[in-house]
């Protein structure tokens, strides 16, 4: 499965994070893909059918998803195998701890498709800094798991057969820590991990690209050559 991030899935994930945050029996959250890959990114077919204003609204809701991760009082661990592309890249990078397989493919293809990534920039810059964030947004390089750790996008690289075991072990360890200090750590870093200002600027850049029609030809071609 490619696990394309459409609006329905973004809403479902955000609601699940809020629900888990309120559950006293939950100490940490583990986010993993269903199938061989983590997430192929936003649903391009959904974007192609939408108007500019609808695309902006969807982007804002996906931004709310990464904000929910930053605001969650409990650690969120991502287990990335196969691929983390576009929105999947941003979703994983927003998590507190990221475990990746060495053969996973990490890439931001949006600029090549004709538009600036409209959400997740705050979290990306918080992880890797401005220069590396800019290089990643250009989409020139596809990172493997080792390079993702080197860049700071991920925290731990493991063999493919151990991803679930290691990610679960990490989540269980974080869950076992004293709750109040963990909450303190989350609240301390939340404004740094997601301030929101960069994502607001990203939305405006995205709007400019969409209004100029820069992505329309790519959407048409992409949906024909890369079915979900």
């Amino acid at each position: 499965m490619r696990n394309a991030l459409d609006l329905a899935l973004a809403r479902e994930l955000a609601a699940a994070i809020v629900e888990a945050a309120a559950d006293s029996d939950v100490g940490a959250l583990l986010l993993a893909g269903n199938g061989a890959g983590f997430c192929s990114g936003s649903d391009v077919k959904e974007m192609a059918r939408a108007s500019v204003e609808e695309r902006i609204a969807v982007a804002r809701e996906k931004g709310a998803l990464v904000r929910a991760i930053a605001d969650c009082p409990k650690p969120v661990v991502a287990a990335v195998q196969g691929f983390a592309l576009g929105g999947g890249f941003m979703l994983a990078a927003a998590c507190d701890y990221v475990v990746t397989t060495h053969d996973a493919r990490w890439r931001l293809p949006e600029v090549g498709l004709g538009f600036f990534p409209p959400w997740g920039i705050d979290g990306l810059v918080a992880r890797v800094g401005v220069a590396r964030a800019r290089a990643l947004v250009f989409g020139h390089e596809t990172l493997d798991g080792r390079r993702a750790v080197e860049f700071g996008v991920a925290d731990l690289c493991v063999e493919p057969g151990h991803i679930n075991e290691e990610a679960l072990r990490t989540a269980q360890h974080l869950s076992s820590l004293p709750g109040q200090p963990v909450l303190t750590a989350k609240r301390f870093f939340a404004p740094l991990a997601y301030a929101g200002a960069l994502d607001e600027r990203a939305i405006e850049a995205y709007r400019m690209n969409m209004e100029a029609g820069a992505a329309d030809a790519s959407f048409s071609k992409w949906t024909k050559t890369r079915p979900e």
Side-chain angles (χ1 to χ4, degrees), residues 91-227:
L91 180 60
C95 294
D96 300 301
Y97 197 92
V98 181
V99 183
T100 179
T101 59
H102 71 78
D103 61 349
R105 292 180 294 117
W106 293 75
R107 185 167 178 263
L108 294 172
E110 289 90 342
V111 167
L113 289 173
F115 61 95
F116 190 82
W119 57 275
I121 296 294
D122 271 284
L124 180 63
V125 171
R127 268 194 169 270
V128 306
V130 173
R132 282 185 164 175
R134 181 175 56 225
L136 290 168
V137 165
F138 282 143
H140 174 67
E141 182 178 4
T142 299
L143 307 180
D144 62 15
R146 293 186 180 91
R147 287 282 282 163
V149 171
E150 179 185 326
F151 264 61
V153 176
D155 302 292
L156 179 66
C157 183
V158 299
E159 293 296 318
H162 299 287
I163 181 70
N164 293 330
E165 172 189 350
E166 188 60 40
L168 181 59
R169 186 194 70 79
T170 299
Q172 288 173 335
H173 169 71
L174 293 172
S175 182
S176 71
L177 297 175
Q180 186 61 38
V182 169
L183 173 61
T184 300
K186 282 284 306 200
R187 286 178 173 170
F188 180 89
F189 288 108
L192 304 175
Y194 187 88
L198 294 180
D199 274 14
E200 278 302 311
R201 291 184 60 194
I203 283 283
E204 292 310 309
Y206 178 72
R207 178 190 293 277
M208 179 180 66
N209 294 153
M210 290 300 161
E211 289 177 344
D216 290 343
S218 294
F219 283 164
S220 177
K221 179 180 178 181
W222 197 258
T223 54
K224 290 176 182 177
T225 59
R226 295 291 298 272

